[in-house]
Every structure is written in structure tokens, then in C-alpha cells.
Amino acid sequence: MALQFSWLAVLGVVESYCTKPREYCAFPKRQKPPNANKLLRQDIPQLGDAPIRQAPAGADRQRFENDHHPSASAHHHHHRFHFPGHRHTRSKEENSKASARDHHYGQPTRPSTSREESPAGHRRLKDQISSPMASRTTLGVQPTSPVQSANSTMNRDTQPEQRSPADSSTGKRSLFDKIRRHKNDRSPADSLKSLPGSTKSLQDPSLRSGKVTATDSSPLKRSRDGSIATFDSGSTAKASDYAQSDSPSQRKDSSVKHFHSHGKFPKPLRRGFSYETSASKEADKARNASVANESYWNLDTDLSHMEGIVSNPTPLTPPTSGIFVGGPIEEEPRKESGEKTGSLGPGAWDAPDSWAVKKVGDENMGRLGEIDEDGIPAKAEDHGTPHCVRVFRVDSTFATLSAGVNTTVSEILQILGKKSFLQDELNNYQIIMRKHDLQRHLAPGERPIAIQKRLLEQAGYLDIDHIEEIGREDNGYLCRFTFVPTKLSGFYSLEKDPGFVKVQKFSHIDLQGRNLVTIPIVLYKRAAEIISLNLSRNLSLDVPKDFIQSCINLREIRYISNEAWHLPPSFSLATRLTVLDVSNNRLEQLEHADLDKLQSLVSIKMSNNKLRQLPSYFGQYKSLRSLNLSSNYLETFPDFLCDLKSLVDLDISFNSIKALPKIGQLSTLERLWATNNLLSGSFPDSFKALGNLKEIDVRFNSITSIDIISQLPRLEQLMVGHNTIWIFEGSFQMIRILHVDHNPITRFNLTSPMPTLSSLNIASAKIAQLDDSLFEKTPNLTKLNLDKNHFVNLSNQIGKLRKLEYLSAAKNPLSSLPATIGCLQELRFLDVRECNLKRLPVEIWCCSKLDTLNVSSNVLESFPMPTSTLQPPQMDVQGNGINGSSAGSASALSTSPTYEELGKLEDFGHRRPSQASAGLLSVGSSPAGSTRKGSIVSIYGPGGRKASVISRTPTEGPITPMLRKDSNISQRLTTTFGGSLRHLYLADNRLNDDVFDQITLLPELRTLNLSYNELYDIPQRSFRRWQHLHELYLSGNELTSLPSDDLEEISSLKVLHINGNKFQVLPAELGKVQKLTVLDVGSNSLKYNVWNWPYDWNWNWNRNLKYLNFSGNKRLEIKPNSSFSTNGSRDGTDLTNFTSLHHLRVLGLMDVTLTIPSVPEQTEDRRVRTSGSLAGSMTYGMADSLGRHEHLSTIDMVIPKFRGHETESLLGMFDGQALSSGGSKIAKYLHENFSYHFIEELSRLKAPAETPGDALRRTFLALNKDLATTASQSLDEKEHRIPQLTHRGSITGQTLSADDLNSGGVATVLYLDNMELFVANVGDAQAMLMHSDGGYKILTQQHYPAERRERQRIREAGGYVSRHGKLNDVLEVSRAFGYIQMMPAVMAAPHITQTPLKEQDEMILIASRELWEFLTPDVVVDVARSERGDLMRAAQKLRDLAMAFGATGKIMVMMIGVSDLKKRERNRYRGQSLSMGPSQMQDDQIFPSKRGKRPRDGPDDSTLARLDQEVEAPTGEIAIIFTDIKNSTLLWETYPEPMRSAIKIHNAVMRRQLRIIGGYEVKTEGDAFMVSFPTATSALLWCFSVQSHLLAAPWPSEILNSIHGQDVLDSDDNLIFRGLSVRMGIHWGDPVCEPDPVTRRMDYFGPMVNRAARISAIADGGQITVSSDFIAEIHRTLETYAETDRSGSTGSEETLNDDVMAQAIRRELRSLSSQGFEVKDLGERKLKGLENPEFIYLMYPHSLAGRLVAQQQRAEAEAAAAPPDPGNPASLERNSQLTIQPQNVWDLWNVSLRLEMLCSTLESPGSSSLKPPETALMERMKNRGGEVTDRFLINFVEHQVSRIETCITTLAMRNLVRPFSAGHNILEQACPMGDILEEISAQLAELKALKGNGSTTGLA
């Protein structure tokens, strides 16, 4: 029996090598002869003379010895046999005994199922697989396996009458029946005796047919890295898929293809499924060819020497089949790599890795996070609650199990075995886990329930969601477990892959995403040709060492996103490797990877792993040029990396590195990327040694100085934005690009010329002025970004930038532009939006290449007119060739220096118009086509334009000739921007109709935006001047008509916005603009008969319309008219129908009266709004824009009276990814199904533990799960799962295309229940709650991947964040619906906010991302509140301003008014009011409210101009307030530049709150304000509001780091002091009121004003002091205007004004009451210059109550230390003989204190500012009163002199060792005095040694 078993194993191995490595031949059908021993003796002579010995002999001996020597050739050391009785050196088999446990893992020498098994069993299995109920869980079509075991199963369906006689026997087959083939099939050439001599090469695979292959049925690997089984659950295996034949001819030499446990089920569309293959003729040819080929091993058949082969008899039928892989894993601990597994004793051998034999030392390679390094699954926390899990079977049925969270696969298999009908033994079953398109086998020790639980948590589920019950459902969108037989799995093969069949060259092999377990066989023969090998996204791939050794020319390996914890050890054998990319894995350490053997490496990429340290051998790579360690967990920069003398590129971004101490040793480094780390302070001095460094990117750190960087000689590009740099004074030698944006810089100065600088970005800083010399030192500058600073004006020297092409100075308080701007002959883009420009210099016309000019949101009153003598200003410009035009200027324009977000450094050309050069803005879709936005980055019309717009070639038509008689004007304009300007933005200014006289001189305009000006009429013949005009924006004016005759002349017009005007009719000529696609006529007064088409416009003549908005026209009626017969309409068209508009995407009919029978149906690509502007009892407004998109992707949701309740409302915005193929079905699906799911979740809430916020979160998760499940289920499952959705007409999985399922969307939803507001959002659509006091609260959270917490979550879920800030380098948001393939890195768990609405809450706004990118929150609030009387207009104005600022993407704005909710709550139980208020409200709803226009004599500040107009100067009894900044004089002297910015911030806060609350600015003196208020409540409210807003102001860093502006917290850690500290004093009285004759503003005089000034002088910084008169007025107001029941008031005309004032006072009182305040009596104080004392009080809001405690404690401490008689300064005694005065002594003391503080500061390295001395003790001694004796003064003076001498000596010593240089901060030399003394000691010792040497020399 033992002999028979051994021969079976021997011949199995021989047969396995008759073809090629890892692809074994199939045995014929096994037969059992009557007498096995007899047949064995008869056939032994046929086997030849090859004795089997303890050690091989002859050629076998040589081959055996070569296997153990590294120098053996590739033909030798690859092939080692594994004989029974031999112990594999890496196996766990014990030769001495065979335990019962071996039967579970077994010696797989034979199949467990006998050949006599009835064919019905096979047919039953086949029928199960091809069941029509099979779903995506059904096994897919099976390809050819690359590995065939020695005992593959044969054809089990052979009918009994067709079998050989031996088949009828009941015994088992003999050895010779196993050796022998079918008699009729066996030829002489097939006999073993005729085999040729032993050869050392394998058979050429090309000589045999690839069709006759079989796979092994045994699990060769039971570890995770070798047990992937992938199948396509989207297909159903059919009976025809199994190539079985019952005929003898077809059955002849047939072999049954058996699934291998390591393989995968590929996708049916790519490869076929062949359960059995029968191709006897081709098999015969293959066999004959293989015999003819000399590729067989010599077989040792000497049976007389069986030592080492036959040892212990083993069972003939082990429980499992396959090559023996050793005993259970638990028998022996894993050995470390490189550790010997034992000596090679007799019979010991190592099988090649390509055999897929179980490798003990490598068993943990490639494990996922579910397995720890020891191969043991990490146990999850188990609270004892059983969890449910759904496990599918191959026939698409499933079993739901309930077990503990740490239940293993083995235990689950036992449970499933009892619940399932098994076709085989339970040991031959396994569980497959699928995650998206990747699958793998689970090892017996893994815990599927724990895996599922963690994935559900990563998807956003919480414990309160009952995760244990969620497992009952199908969670296949995250993972799916399938219970399958082991034999239904196999290897992946490339033989039938059409991509590889046609491959002629194998130099670059791409195997990514193929679920490989090992390398396919087809690559072995061509291994020597492989240069590049991509193995990415194969979760359990094992890379055999013999294959890597065969790849002798391998240079590049990509092993990306394999979720591997360890690198395959075979990588270390690729000794010629130059590129290794192992990014996006889970590597924690590399100590055992043996990468030190790869000394030829040139590039290593290890980004997005879990590395906390690197092995020291990383410093030994002599050829390494590129190293990427980004997105790891490095906390320190390894010093040994500084030994890389050839390193050129280094990326350490997204780590936690705090310093780079020795990086200066990398002398060859050229590029350094270190973004998003913890770098702080300055760079080390050694950094200057990086002489070859060319590019540095250190954004998003805490760097405070770049002085060291400026000394790098070859630096060309520096990105240092988003740091904490305060000051820069220096220069760079070769810098080209310098970006220091988003730093609190207050002083930026260049000390020497920088002729190489071409791009400078200092946006979002705090710079108030640039030195004139800067423009002289940068003559070749082409891009300059000065956005968001504090510039009041620009230097005239800017005209010296003759090569400047891009200039942006948006959001600055610029009051004028210099005339020298006309010298910028190369300027093409100028953005000065949101400034305070009142006029433009006429010299701007001389910018002859200007393409885009944006002057929106200024205070322009006119546009300059070119004069006949217009000439460019002359400036004295030195040489350097700057007078000529730059040859490369056009290409340079495609970049942009604006960076508002993380990343996008390289995407210069893909900016929006406000962020990119105007000349070469790209036209077309965004390069990130897979991102959600996908917007077209262009400011041109939807049709785009050609790329050569800058070049004045006639590509867009010739320049329109001027129609004026004066030809000199036409000729003169050709030298101005009249021939180049194409995009002009003048929105939100004060322009009147005269502006058309100037802009009609611009014939090349493509875009003209004149929205929100003061236009009343457009002159005739104006439009015809613009023959190429594409976009025209005239919104928000006073227009009543359009020049109808001109409309025919602008045939190229595509976009027309005239909303917010006073149109009553539209001219019929508008229908002749055939290319019109966007028309917005909302919020007008339209009222005309749409049937009157000969005279009035009808939409049916503009068939290309995509966007048509009538919303807000409350008088417009669209109704059928019987008076107009069919003959009266043109072409018999129904003029009230919209069906002719086939391209219509958005149709706005809100507030429009409709009596037509039908409106267009809504689809995912069409939105029709027909509701009113009231959502229940709340006012509602909305506006949107398609932007450059062709299809709809954003949908709004408004459901008043939600669930039938008057007090409930549901609002939402669903912003899907814009697709080129159609509308967003994702957004449509969410819109139609959200309310249904939300109602269900609300009904399931368990109060009070759960809130509607939990229901919102569960609704988000449920909807996302439905979307994801739709993507992962087949059609029959979808119909079964979601029938409840189809009856509501919702979009289902049947209509979701592949593009839809790969896309996604963001959402923001508001649920209002009475006064409780719940907000949930995912993505970047934000919601804001606006207050009546001008404040706001952001209700949502922007989910950006680069945010630290989101980045950590993404990495834990298996995703990564690129350096551009995108998730997986694709998605710009980290939370969203959809994006199935990126789950759970992308999840839909929303951010939840619960906010109770209060009295001051006014409006809620929801807006998409595009709006927030161009409008800051304060601008949004100001604009919305300016139109708060009509929310439709407010929403439209916000959208229009965003477009005026440069937005080109899709925009949606939704606004809901909540100011009346509190009133509704109060009036719920009151009677109905009889006032006329409601009727007036109804009138306002029908007729547009009259909007207040900005007066032309308004403030010259665009920010203030957006606010309410200033109140009239109050007279009579009023409140007067004086304010002053504490220590402002000292701050100005110490920090002059920061104080310039700080004062602007201070003034802006004061004036903004004055406009909002209603105060009058009397005058300012320096930094002091004098203001007046008509009521005491408004005065107090203003003081409280200003003090609160000053705490949140963006103060310069120098101020915040000074002792006068540093943060101070109270005992509860509430911020009570920060930045400038302002004192305030309020007094109430009746002053003298007279207007000032010069300023024409009201001024106040008299004792009341004097008293108010003295009261403010008593206050300390941050205090509000008030008089007793003011307190009395507050008490009177509280008593008079207390809230009373006024429901019976009818109102009267005589009390109307009083009611207005009373309402304002009550509103102010409610606001004061809501925040609360405290009053403290300071007692009676003597006021300077006033005879009578005054009782003074302190007032604080509750939020700043900590100030009261802090200042009280300070006062008590000072009082306790003071003597009884304070206040009188000390004086000399009467008989004093001294001539000095005590004041001189105090001054001397002050000097000593200041010197001591300086010395103390120099002791502390890193100090940023000099702290002032503590003079409190001196002041107390100075003011203690009494006389001072001469002796005391003399001794005291001596003490002070000694102290001063000591300080001077200390400073002198410091100056000797480390000299103080002029122009440098003395604090940079700070160091401990001990260091100074040590250096002095060292120098003295050196001097002494030199003297000693000199003396010795002299003596000699």
C-alpha cells in the first residue's frame, strides 16, 4: 500500500512537469485493477533504470545539489519535487507520525471523492450552478487554470455502460491503472520507456495546446495571501457553459477541469467558464509534441532503493486533495524571514515558489488589516451581543447567522454545514469575501462578523443604529460572504485574455486588478523579457521567488493598493531593480523586507502607508534619486536619509515631522515637498548647504521665517503658503515662482534685485503697503497676486512691470489705481473686484493687450473715456529689455497664482476666470473628469472660443468697424484695449446710462456684465456694436425695455440675464436671437399676453433654450386664449406649451399663474418649478445656474407641512456630479426618495434617547446603501429589494447607467420642527443661519479630504489623500453619496447640527460650492440682508454676484425666511390681529418691493455700501459714545506695519456694526471714534457687539504675540481678551447739535459731550463705562417697552412713527436679553476738568463676564499693595542736599528694568518680541506719597547703576561673541548666557594654547 501511494505521488509530479511550470497535465480516468501488486510487478520494467535513493544520483543528484547553492543556474534551482515521505523544509509535517488532525489538512495525494461516484451528483451540482435564480453571487465563467495538481478529478459523468470493465469493480484502482492511460488512447510514444534523456529545461508551452489544462482541487494555500477566489456575481452559469460530452469519442482522453482553491472566478465578459473541457485530438497532439520535445526529466524507477521515499503508510483517500502543504498552521510558530527552517536532512527539499506550496516563513505576507502580524485575527470588542451576518451560497440563496463578533470562519463553516445541503465534505468548503471588484478566500482563523462590523462603522453606522441587526440585510456594497465548495475555485489565466494573446512584446506587463494569487504561467517563458511589472490591486498576490529570479531584466515593480502589511520577500531578489512603487498599502515596517539588496534602486515610492520609522539601510542606496514617503506616520526625519548623496527628489508630505535638523547634508537635493507637517519656526542653518535645491513646497505648516531659504543659490520655486510668516525682508538669487499666500505677513520687502522672478503671490496676507523699490527689483514679473490684503493704493512704480500679464488685487480697500498702470503693455488680466474704486484712470485704455477686466463690487460712478491725446505714461525704466514684449507671455498666462485650497499647484491653466490668466483660459471640460464638479474652466460663452483668442487673428471675426464719422477715434482705439478687451465685468457699482458711451467703443466684447448698477435705459444702436457678444448680464437695474432693433444684430448672444428689473413686456425681436440658450427674466413685473407673438416675445421661437426663468413675476399669467385661433399663431404652434424646447433643462415658473393644462414633465435632466415663494408660512426664494454644463445635476427640495404638520418643514439641496451624457440620476434619486425614507426613520425613533438628528443620519446611510446595493445587485435582486421605491416613480437601478453608478453627489438637508432646526450635510454644499444683527452661524461642515480628521478616517478605510488634496487623487470631497468603488473611504454619514431658532435669527441659506468659492460669508450675509424683503431677489443677487466675480460652474442658492417663526409661536394662542400688516404683505407678494438704491453720495466703501444706509443724525436726547484703543501709542511705536493693518480691521468692525445696528459716526480722531445713537438700547447693543466681534477679528500675528494683544482666558477657558483692547464710555443727555460746515456732518458740543469723553477715559481696555444718566434711561426703557399683549392693537397713523421706534427698541431689548448683561457699580468718581463727581458703572455682556472678574482681581491686588494714603507722588525731604529730582531716579529705574528685560529675552531662543518690563512695583513706590530721604535716593541710585552696568556688560559680551548686525532683529541672536561663556572660555583656551606654542617657538 505504501509503495502504491509513493508511486502515485512520483508519477503525479512527473505528469505535472510534462507541460510547463505550474501547469500540470490531467490524468486519465482512474481505474482500479483486480490485483494492484501484480500489475505493479509487470509494469516495473517499463519504467526504466532510475533507482530511487535516499539522495538523488546522477543528473538528479546534480540537480538536487544545485538547488542548495546560490550559484546554480536558473534551470536548476527553480524545480524541486515534493515526494511523500520527504519533508518539505517549509512545511509543518511530522514524518514520525500521522495524527488524526492530518486528515483535515491531509496529504492531498488523491481526490476525496471516488471515481465511482454517481454522475447524478455532478449533474446536481451543475444544476445548482446554472439555476435560473442565480444572482450576482452565482459563480462566473471559469477560465483555464495555470496550476494543475497531480490528482485532478476526472470526468464523473461517464455513463456506466461507457466505462471500462475496471469501472464496475468496487475496489480502488491500482497503481498501473493510474499510470496507464486508456488502452485505446495509448500510443507507443506515450510509454514512459520511450521518454528521452533528462533535460534541464521545461517544455515549450507553445508546443502544446492551451485548451487541455486542468486545475487542482486542493487548497494549496490556506493563508489569506494565497486564497483569493474571485467570481463575477453578475453572471449566471448556464448548462451550456460546461463542455461535457457523453459520446465516447468526445470523452476519449478528456480531462475534467477542476476549480483550484487559489484561483478566481473572472468576469464573464472577459473570459469563459469551462467546468469541463473535452478536446481529445488537441490533447493527443499536445502529448505527442511534448514527447517529441526534449523537455522531460529522467525518472528514477529503481524500486530496490526506496530509502527516504517510503516511510509511514498514509491513507489512500485523504479527506482533502491537492499537493501536501503540511499540517495545521498552529503546529509551529512562524519563523522570521531569513531564519533557517531546519537542516536539509535526508529527503528534505524546497519546492519552487511557483508551486504555490504553503510557505511557513511567508504566511503573513499580504494580509489585510483583519489579521495581525502573528497571523491571528485581531479580536474585536465583544459585549456579548450576537451579530447577524448574511452568507450566500452558490445558488444565490443565503443563510442568516447570528453569532458573536469574534466567531471565526471555521466556526461559521460548521454552522453552515448544518444549514446547507452539501455536495462534498465540509472540509472542502470555504468562505469567499468580496469587496467591490476584488475578492479573496478567508482563512479559517479570520472573523467575518468582525470584518463586517468594522466596515459598517467605517461607512458611518453607530452602535445606536443596532449594527448587530444590520447584518441581516444585504451589505454587499461593503462586503459579501459566499459559502462555496473548494473545487469551485481556480487560478487566473492569461491564455484566453485577448489583451495578452495579441501581445508581441512582454517588456511591460500590467496585471493590476486581476485578483491574482500568483504569477500566471504564460509569463514564465517570457520572464527574461519583462522590464516593467505592475502587480497593483491584487490583494492576495504571492510573487514567487523563482519567477522574480527569472526576470533577469526586471527594472520596475509597481505593487500599489494591495493592502499588504508586508512586502513579498521575492522583491529583494530583483537585484537589477531601479523603480519600486509600493504606495497605498498598509506597511508598518520594512526591517524584514531585505530591500538593502536592491542597491540599484533609483526611485522608491512608499506613500500612504503606516510607516513610523525606516530601516537604517535606507541610507545606503548610492543610486537613489527619488524618495516618496508622503502620507505616513513619521514624526522625525531619519538622519540616515541624509547619507543619500544622489537624492534629487524627496517627498515627506502629510506626516508629523517637526524639524529637519540635518537635511543640509543632501547636497544633491533639487526638489523638496513637505506639505502638511508640523514644521515650525525657521529652518536650520544647515539648510543653506542645499546648493542644488530648486523647488520647495512646505505649505500648511507653522513656519515663521524663510530667511534661511532665501540664501539658497539655485532655488527657482518656493511654495510656502498657509504658514505663520510675519515678516520677510530678503531676496532670492534665481527664484522664478514665489508663493507666500495665506500668511499673516505685514511687511514684505526685497533687499536686492530679483530679475528671474516671474510669479509672486502674496494674497490673503495683512500687507498695507509695498515698498516702491519692489517693482524696480522685479522687472520680469508676469504674475502678481495681491488679493485680500489692506492696500489703500498701489505705487506708481507698478508701471515699471512692463512684462506683467496677470494682476489681481481683489478684496482690498483700494481707493484708486495709479495712472502708470497704462504702462503695462503686456497686461491681459486685471481683477480689482471688491475694492473701493470710485473711478478708473483713463490711462488704463493704454493696456493694449488687456483681455479681461473685472471691476465688480466697487463704487464706480463712470467708465473712463479715451481722449484724443491719450498716450501711455512715460516712466524712467532702466534696461534689461523690459520695453519689449515677452515672447513667452501668452503661454505664461495659462497659469494662476491664486491658491485658496490645498493642492492644485499644477492646475494653473484650469482655474476659473478670477483665478487664471484671462488670455489663455482653457475652454473645455475640467481635466479632472471624474471629479464631481467637472466644470468648464472658461469665462466665455457655452460654445466656447478658440484657443488663440489672445492673438488678434481673425479667428473670431474681424474687429467691428466703428460707426463714428471721426476716423481718428477708430484709428486711435486700435492702439488701446478697444481691440483686445473681450470680458468686462462692471457689476455692483454706481454706473448710469452714460456708461454705454464708453463701452460701445469695445467691439470685441464677448462677455459684458452690468448687473446691479443704476441703468434705466439702454441707448439704441448699442447692442449692434458688439457683434461677437456671447453673454450679457443686466440684472438688478431699473430697465423697462431693451433696444429691440439691436437684438437682431447680436445673433451670437447665448446668455441673457435681465432678472431683477422692471420689465412688463419683452420685445418680440428677442425671438430672433436664435443661439440664445439661457434667459433669466425672473423678479420683474411681466404682465403680457404670450399669444400676442407679433409684438411680444414668446419662448417658442427660441428653440435652443436650456434655461428659462420666469420665477418672481407675480403678475404674469400663462393661460390659453380662445380669442387667438390656430391661424393666429405662427406655424400652428400652441404658444403656451413648452414642449418645443427640446433642450430645456430648467424652467422656473414660481409665483407665475398657470392655467394651461400641463407643464413639461420633470426628469433627471429637467427641473420645473411651479410653486409659490412661500413654503408654508415662511418666505422662500431660490436661484440657480447651469454654468458651462450641458445637463442638470443640482436639484432642490422644499416640502412645507411635512408629514401633514403645520410646524414641520423639510428643505434640501442635492448636488450631483455633472455628467456629459445626461442629467444626474443620483441627484434625482435622492430628491424623490429622501422624504419617504426620512418619514420611516422618524417613525422608528425611540424618544427621548433618539432625536430627529439620528433619523437624518440613518436616512442618509439608507439612501446611500440603496444606491450602492443597486450598483452591486443583478436585475432580479433589485426588483425584489426595492419595490417600495418603484410605485412612487423613483429612479431605480434599472435606469442607472455605469456612469451614474460611478458618480455621486453631495447633499444638505434642513428639517425644521417648530423652533428646532436640524441640519445634515455631506460634501461641500453649505448652509448658513443669518442673524438680524449681521452675524451668522455656519450650520454645515465642509468635508474636504485634506482636513486632518477626515484624512485619518480615509486612511483607516483604505483610501488616501493626494498632494492635491483629493481623495484617491480623484474626489474633492470626503463624504458624499455614491462613488461606490471608493467606499468606505467615501461615506455618507452626515454632519449633524441641532440649533434652536431665536428671535434674532432671520434667514437660512443653502448654497452649492461654487458660491462659497467666490463669496465670503460676510459678503453673503450683507447681500442677503440688503434684499431681505424679497428672498427671491436675494437669492438671485447672490448667484449673479458670484458670476460677476468669475464663477462659471453650476450654482444653486436657496433661502428661507425664519424671522416670523418666533412671532408665529407667540401668536399661536392669541387672537387674530386687526392691523393692516398682512394685507400689505400680500401686496408685496404681488408687486415687487421697492428696493433702496445706493445714493451716489454714499460711502466710498463697497462693503459699507452693501449694508443699510446710515441713519439720520439723532438730535434731542441721545446717547454719545467715545472709544479709544488702549496702549495704541506704544503699539504704533513698536509695530508700525502691523498697526496699519490692525487699525483697518478695527475701523471695519466699528463701522459695519454701526450700519447694522443703526448708529451715526460723528467723527474720528486717530484711532478714537465718536458715535451717537437715538436710543440707549442701540448704543449698548453696539458696544456689546463691537467688543464681541473684536475678539474674532483676524489681527496681525505681531499684535497677538504682544503682551497688549495676547489671548486671555477666564476660569472657564472662555476667551475674554484678544487683539486690540478698546475702551468705551457712554453718556445719555441732550447735547448741542450743529452740522459741520466742512464735512457737512452733524457735530455735537456742550457739557454732555465733555462728560461722555471723561467717562470713557475712566475705562480700561475692554471695559464699557456708563453714567448714571445712561443707567436711568435703560431702566426707563425696560419699564416702558416691556413685552405686552398687543393683539388688540389696530394701529393708527399718528402713532406710526412711534410704533417704528418702539419696534426697534423692543427688538434691541430682545437681543440684549438673549445675550444677557451685567452691571457693576464703580462708585463715585472725580472726572478730570469737571467740578461735580459722577457715579460710574461697568456693563458687560454675559459672554465677557470674565473680564469683570479678571479686572476686579487685578484692582484688589493693587489696592492691597498700596499704602493708606495713595495718589501723592513722593518728594525730597525738606532739608535735602541733593540737586536731583525723584523723577530722574524713577526714570533710571525704568531704564534698568528695560535693560534687564532685554537681557532676559535674549536668554530665550525663539523669542519673537521684546516683552515690556513689569513696572507695577515701581509705580507703587513712586506714588506711595511722603518724603524720600537723601540716603535712600543715593543707595537706590547706586543699585540701579550697578544693575545697568551689569546689563551693559552682558550685552557687550554677547556682541563680542555674536555681533549684533544692523538691519537684523537682535532677538535672532538669542541664546543662553552659558553658551556665550562657553564660547569665550573656548576662545581663551585656544588663545592660551597659541601663546604657549609661540613661547615654545621663541625658545627654540
Side-chain angles (χ1 to χ4, degrees), residues 14 93 570 681 1171 1237 1336 1714:
V14 173
E93 179 188 1
S570 57
S1171 63
H1237 280 272
Y1336 63 89
S1714 63

Side-chain angles (χ1 to χ4, degrees), residues 832-1085:
V832 286
R833 58 183 171 89
E834 298 184 85
C835 295
N836 299 329
L837 298 176
K838 198 169 185 177
R839 61 184 59 86
L840 294 175
V842 68
E843 288 81 3
I844 197 174
W845 280 83
C846 297
C847 300
S848 58
K849 293 185 179 180
L850 191 62
D851 180 88
T852 300
L853 175 61
N854 195 330
V855 203
S856 299
S857 282
N858 280 270
V859 289
L860 280 182
E861 297 180 352
S862 63
F863 195 80
M865 170 68 80
T867 62
S868 58
T869 59
L870 181 64
Q871 293 293 334
Q874 299 298 320
M875 295 192 66
D876 183 14
V877 183
Q878 298 178 357
N880 299 331
I882 62 174
N883 289 324
S885 62
S886 174
S889 60
S891 61
L893 268 181
S894 61
T895 63
S896 166
T898 298
Y899 303 102
E900 297 294 337
E901 307 170 20
L902 170 67
K904 300 187 180 180
L905 284 180
E906 295 80 359
D907 296 343
F908 296 121
H910 306 136
R911 293 285 173 180
R912 294 179 174 80
S914 66
Q915 296 176 323
S917 308
L920 291 182
L921 293 177
S922 60
V923 180
S925 61
S926 171
S930 57
T931 61
R932 185 180 63 80
K933 293 180 67 62
S935 63
I936 296 178
V937 187
S938 170
I939 61 173
Y940 306 104
R945 61 177 179 84
K946 298 183 179 180
S948 58
V949 295
I950 292 299
S951 64
R952 296 200 196 174
T953 57
T955 56
E956 296 187 20
I959 297 178
T960 306
M962 305 308 297
L963 302 180
R964 298 178 179 270
K965 295 181 179 180
D966 189 357
S967 60
N968 292 330
I969 296 180
S970 176
Q971 182 179 1
R972 185 171 66 250
L973 290 178
T974 58
T975 61
T976 66
F977 65 51
S980 65
L981 193 63
R982 285 166 168 77
H983 310 283
L984 179 59
Y985 297 87
L986 299 173
D988 194 25
N989 280 285
R990 301 172 182 174
L991 300 172
N992 55 24
D993 299 345
D994 296 337
V995 71
F996 290 96
D997 295 338
Q998 293 85 38
I999 62 177
T1000 51
L1001 303 178
L1002 304 172
E1004 294 300 309
L1005 282 181
R1006 269 68 172 174
T1007 303
L1008 176 60
N1009 195 320
L1010 291 170
S1011 300
Y1012 300 97
N1013 281 281
E1014 299 174 11
L1015 305 181
Y1016 289 84
D1017 188 27
I1018 300 177
Q1020 294 292 331
R1021 307 178 66 84
S1022 296
F1023 286 175
R1024 63 182 59 190
R1025 305 287 180 87
W1026 303 315
Q1027 294 293 317
H1028 309 292
L1029 193 64
H1030 293 163
E1031 303 178 18
L1032 179 59
Y1033 302 90
L1034 300 171
S1035 308
N1037 287 284
E1038 303 290 332
L1039 298 174
T1040 57
S1041 63
L1042 293 174
S1044 56
D1045 294 339
D1046 291 359
L1047 293 176
E1048 301 181 30
E1049 303 294 333
I1050 52 173
S1051 58
S1052 60
L1053 188 64
K1054 298 179 180 179
V1055 178
L1056 178 59
H1057 280 253
I1058 54 175
N1059 55 285
N1061 282 279
K1062 296 183 177 180
F1063 287 95
Q1064 294 187 7
V1065 296
L1066 296 175
E1069 289 78 5
L1070 190 59
K1072 299 180 180 180
V1073 186
Q1074 294 299 318
K1075 294 183 180 181
L1076 193 64
T1077 59
V1078 175
L1079 178 60
D1080 192 341
V1081 293
S1083 297
N1084 277 281
S1085 303

